[in-house]
């Protein structure tokens, strides 16, 4: 069998490499060294990962200090969403910004966390939060309405600063 | 009659102790396998079930017990269910001849610290471990799956190539002990006259052959996951799979016990007689020495698994026939010359 297989790399190996045992000892000492290194494991429920500002977690709607959302229901996010996860219905108000979303729904089963909604938003009204713990036990719960999406701006300042620095 | 009863009771007690010892050692071997793999990869490993995850092996067994036992439609059902039990049978019976301490005297009767002091103990081990390969080959063939079949075939091919160098390495040991009785092989290695010191090449070939016999990495070709989806146990589930798992780890314990007995002086604690302890303490130290040596070897088995990648099939055959076999022959000649000189 070995007659048909061309022998490769014969020249590259020195005598000590060819007898194999010293190389095994090298490999074993390497793993032994690693055994005494500290581990990188984050023990999740107790220790939680604190994402950097560039992290794209669950998309949320920005709520100003006065409790009103920034969104003007232009529908661009819904339009750009590649997974068709966002549904917006506009309504009219007496406020300075005349439009607001009567209904704003993100289907979290569809969302792929691409961040295009955030990128396209002219009002900086929808941003990606740092929330990565997204749990629901049935399909109806996966539709996140305004109650779950509206997030006070104080919590999102990190991401907004990041966007102002790097977006566009 | 009274004597007869006494020896029966002693044998039963020894069986219970050894069988339970194997089971507990196996479960914690699995635990340490996972822990050591975690440490080498800078992870933590199982630490949720019980203190430091110490109950993890029991949780695993419980999980396997509750799983559905699936037998493929095309499987040969009789052989398919027989194979795991052959594996278990071999794994558990081999311990019978391994001495883990010197003889002790209880109520005026001498009791060797091993199940059966057979005068052909080494042959017995060799014969049984050869049966062990049937379990794997049967499992592979009867599953009716090509991956399993390939695993089974590889196992028998591997067995043939490594049994020979194993046999010749053992022959080198037997030259010194002049006996096939494990107890006498151990006694022949008094002081630092360990066979590993006298014939290091034979030690190396035997250790490599032991790795191949127990199907551990770097010789785990019968169950090579990336090529064979698990090999011979691809089609097994539930307790039958657990039986294979148990047998694999029990074989590892046999492998290290055999290495200790044949090459590392068995239960011998070098020069313990000269320390001047009482006989009971001396025996305790000797039994302890056996288990410490075995534990170190088990750690070595696991350590090698997480360090060295698997051999390719042709490399395995090349090493078996072109390297290990001539080396073990050379070792035999060396052992013969050494034995002549030392006489």
């Amino acid at each position: 069998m070995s007659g048909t297989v061309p022998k490769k790399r014969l020249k590259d190996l020195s005598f000590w490499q060819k007898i194999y045992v010293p190389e095994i000892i090298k490999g074993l000492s390497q793993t032994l060294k690693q055994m005494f290194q500290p581990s990188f494991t984050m023990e999740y429920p107790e220790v939680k990962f604190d994402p950097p500002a560039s992290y794209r977690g669950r998309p949320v709607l920005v709520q100003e200090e006065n409790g009103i959302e920034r969104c003007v229901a232009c529908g661009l996010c819904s339009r750009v969403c590649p997974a068709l996860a966002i549904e917006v219905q506009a309504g009219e108000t007496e406020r300075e910004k005349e439009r607001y979303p009567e209904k704003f729904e993100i289907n979290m089963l569809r969302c792929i966390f691409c961040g295009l909604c955030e990128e396209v938003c002219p009002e900086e009204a929808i941003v990606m939060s740092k929330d990565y713990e997204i749990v629901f036990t049935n399909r109806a719960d996966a539709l996140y309405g305004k109650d779950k999406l509206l997030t006070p701006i104080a919590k999102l300042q990190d991401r907004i600063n990041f966007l102002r620095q790097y977006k566009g | 009659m009274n004597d007869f009863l006494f020896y029966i009771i002693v044998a039963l007690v020894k069986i219970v102790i050894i069988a339970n010892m194997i089971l507990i050692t196996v479960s914690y071997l699995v635990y340490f396998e996972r822990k050591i793999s975690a440490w080498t990869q800078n992870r933590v490993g199982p630490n949720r079930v019980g203190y430091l995850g110490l109950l993890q092996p029991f949780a695993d067994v419980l999980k396997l017990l509750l799983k559905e036992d699936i037998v493929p439609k095309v499987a040969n059902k009789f052989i398919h269910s027989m194979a795991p039990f052959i594996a278990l049978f071999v794994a558990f019976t081999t311990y019978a001849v391994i001495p883990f301490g010197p003889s002790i005297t209880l109520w005026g009767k001498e009791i060797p610290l091993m199940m059966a002091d057979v005068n052909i103990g080494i042959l017995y081990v060799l014969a049984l471990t050869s049966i062990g390969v049937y379990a794997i080959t049967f499992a592979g063939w009867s599953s009716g799956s090509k991956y399993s079949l390939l695993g089974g075939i590889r196992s028998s091919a591997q067995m043939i190539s490594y049994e020979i160098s194993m046999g010749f390495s053992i022959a080198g040991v037997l030259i010194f002990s002049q006996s096939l009785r494990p107890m006498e092989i151990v006694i022949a290695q008094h002081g630092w006259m360990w066979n590993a010191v006298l014939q290091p090449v034979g030690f190396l070939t035997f250790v490599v052959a032991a790795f191949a016999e127990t199907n551990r990495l770097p010789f785990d070709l019968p169950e090579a996951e990336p090529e064979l989806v698990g090999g011979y146990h691809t089609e097994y589930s539930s307790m039958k799979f657990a039986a294979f798992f148990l047998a694999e780890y029990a074989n590892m314990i046999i492998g290290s016990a055999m290495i200790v007995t044949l090459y590392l002086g068995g239960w011998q604690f070098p020069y313990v007689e000269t320390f001047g302890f009482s006989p009971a303490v001396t025996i305790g130290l000797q039994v302890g020495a056996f288990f410490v040596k075995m534990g170190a070897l088990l750690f070595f088995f696991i350590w090698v698994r997480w360090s060295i990648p698997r051999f390719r099939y042709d490399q395995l055959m090349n090493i078996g026939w072109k390297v290990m076999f001539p080396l073990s022959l050379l070792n035999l000649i060396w052992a013969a010359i050494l034995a002549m000189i030392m006489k």
Side-chain angles (χ1 to χ4, degrees):
Chain A
M1 196 179 110
S2 62
T4 56
V5 179
K7 286 188 174 173
K8 283 174 193 164
R9 285 210 319 172
L10 267 186
K11 275 178 197 163
D12 302 341
L13 298 178
S14 72
F15 172 74
W16 291 107
Q17 284 166 330
K18 267 190 269 180
I19 62 169
Y20 203 67
V21 176
E23 296 297 307
I24 287 183
I25 293 168
K26 257 192 227 170
L28 286 176
S29 57
Q30 175 63 31
T31 45
L32 191 67
K33 238 184 274 164
Q34 289 303 316
M35 277 182 216
F36 300 102
Q37 303 286 318
S39 83
F40 288 98
T41 309
M42 229 175 248
E43 293 187 45
Y44 164 60
E46 291 97 39
V47 186
K48 283 186 179 158
F49 169 52
D50 184 30
S54 59
Y55 188 83
R56 294 205 304 265
R58 180 169 71 90
V60 293
L61 289 177
V62 180
Q63 190 176 30
E64 299 275 21
E65 274 102 354
N66 55 13
I68 297 161
E69 68 274 293
R70 278 184 176 179
C71 181
V72 292
C74 63
L76 274 176
C77 49
S78 161
R79 180 74 196 225
V80 80
C81 182
L84 306 179
I86 306 177
E87 188 189 337
V88 192
Q89 269 170 25
E92 281 187 28
T93 63
E94 300 300 314
R95 290 194 293 269
E96 186 192 356
K97 288 179 178 176
E98 286 161 10
R99 280 159 61 91
Y100 82 105
E102 261 180 0
K103 179 185 175 191
F104 198 105
E105 216 169 62
I106 300 183
N107 186 341
M108 290 313 291
L109 283 170
R110 283 179 161 254
C111 179
I112 55 170
F113 305 95
C114 60
L116 286 184
C117 45
E118 170 192 61
E119 204 174 316
V120 82
C121 184
E123 297 288 321
E124 209 171 58
I126 182 166
V127 298
M128 309 301 275
S129 68
K130 289 183 180 181
D131 183 12
Y132 52 86
E133 291 170 315
I134 301 155
V135 185
F136 33 83
T137 50
N138 59 53
R139 278 164 186 274
D141 286 357
L143 299 172
Y144 278 30
K146 264 171 81 176
D147 54 326
K148 282 184 185 161
L149 290 175
L150 282 175
T151 311
I153 191 165
K155 283 188 186 174
L156 301 168
Q157 207 53 58
D158 218 15
R159 179 71 183 178
I160 289 168
N161 292 340
F162 171 81
L163 290 175
R164 286 191 183 148
Q165 198 177 346
Y166 294 106
K167 189 176 153 186
Chain B
M1 187 57 208
N2 207 7
D3 250 20
F4 181 67
L5 207 66
F6 177 75
Y7 280 115
I8 291 227
I9 290 170
V10 167
L12 282 176
V13 168
K14 280 197 279 195
I15 288 170
V16 168
I17 290 175
I18 291 177
N20 279 302
M21 212 171 65
I22 295 165
L23 285 172
I24 289 170
T25 318
V26 165
S27 35
Y28 281 98
L29 208 53
V30 178
Y31 171 77
F32 276 109
E33 171 105 52
R34 294 174 66 175
K35 270 288 186 196
I36 290 171
S37 85
W39 293 333
T40 54
Q41 296 163 2
N42 299 345
R43 294 185 286 115
V44 174
N47 66 347
R48 296 280 151 171
V49 193
Y51 176 68
L52 293 176
L54 279 171
L55 294 176
Q56 184 71 43
F58 301 102
D60 287 348
V61 169
L62 210 66
K63 183 202 78 181
L64 280 169
L65 262 173
L66 297 172
K67 292 262 172 184
E68 185 191 355
D69 183 23
I70 300 162
V71 180
K73 256 186 192 165
V74 287
N76 182 325
K77 295 207 173 47
F78 177 67
I79 296 180
H80 190 263
S81 6
M82 189 174 68
F85 296 103
I86 298 179
L88 265 191
F89 164 77
V90 170
F92 277 83
T93 41
T94 320
Y95 286 92
V97 297
I98 289 165
F100 52 90
S103 296
I104 53 168
T105 317
L106 275 183
W107 301 292
K109 295 186 182 70
E110 197 182 318
I111 301 164
L113 282 182
M114 61 199 291
M115 294 263 283
D117 197 0
V118 191
N119 55 3
I120 51 155
I122 298 302
L123 279 187
Y124 171 85
V125 173
L126 280 182
L128 274 175
T129 47
S130 308
I131 292 177
V133 78
Y134 278 95
I136 295 175
T137 317
F138 280 169
W141 176 78
S142 67
S143 297
S145 140
K146 58 189 166 198
Y147 299 115
S148 304
L149 183 62
L150 277 173
I153 291 170
R154 280 181 178 195
S155 171
S156 34
Q158 183 174 316
M159 187 74 170
I160 293 165
S161 3
Y162 282 85
E163 195 99 293
I164 292 174
S165 61
M166 191 179 207
F168 275 112
S169 327
I170 293 179
V173 172
L174 299 182
I175 285 176
F176 281 92
S177 68
Q178 302 280 324
S179 168
L180 282 165
R181 191 188 287 270
M183 204 60 138
E184 276 174 39
I185 292 175
V186 171
I187 291 168
Q189 305 176 53
H190 56 83
W192 281 110
M193 298 280 279
W194 290 4
N195 282 320
V197 181
L198 294 178
Q199 25 186 321
V201 176
F203 177 59
L204 188 76
T205 50
F206 187 84
V207 169
V208 172
F211 271 88
E213 289 273 321
T214 49
N215 293 329
R216 290 288 295 182
L217 265 163
F219 301 110
D220 73 336
L221 281 120
E223 48 188 292
E225 284 100 352
E227 305 151 35
L228 298 181
V229 217
Y232 63 90
H233 56 53
T234 308
E235 303 297 341
Y236 281 89
S237 49
S238 186
M239 277 321 275
K240 286 183 194 159
F241 174 75
F244 273 121
F245 207 66
L246 189 68
E248 190 194 320
Y249 281 90
N251 278 330
M252 225 166 106
I253 303 174
I254 295 175
S256 29
M258 281 294 286
I259 295 170
V260 170
T261 308
L262 291 172
Y263 286 96
L264 298 177
W267 43 261
Q268 302 259 14
F269 193 120
Y271 307 114
V272 76
E273 310 84 25
T274 57
F275 295 169
F277 291 127
S278 69
V281 176
T282 307
I283 287 171
L285 276 177
Q286 284 170 330
V287 174
F290 177 80
F291 287 113
V292 166
K293 287 174 196 172
M294 215 170 89
L297 270 171
L298 287 174
F299 172 74
F300 181 69
F301 265 82
I302 297 172
W303 180 18
V304 165
R305 170 165 182 189
W306 297 102
S307 306
I308 301 172
R310 182 180 302 119
F311 280 98
R312 217 167 51 211
Y313 192 56
D314 60 317
Q315 292 172 331
L316 176 97
M317 288 294 150
N318 268 337
I319 291 176
W321 290 103
K322 294 185 187 165
V323 181
M324 303 315 289
F325 178 47
L327 272 184
S328 58
L329 272 181
L330 273 181
N331 174 65
L332 189 59
I333 296 166
W334 160 254
I337 294 169
L338 201 66
M340 291 249 302
I341 294 168
M342 279 165 57
K343 259 184 196 153

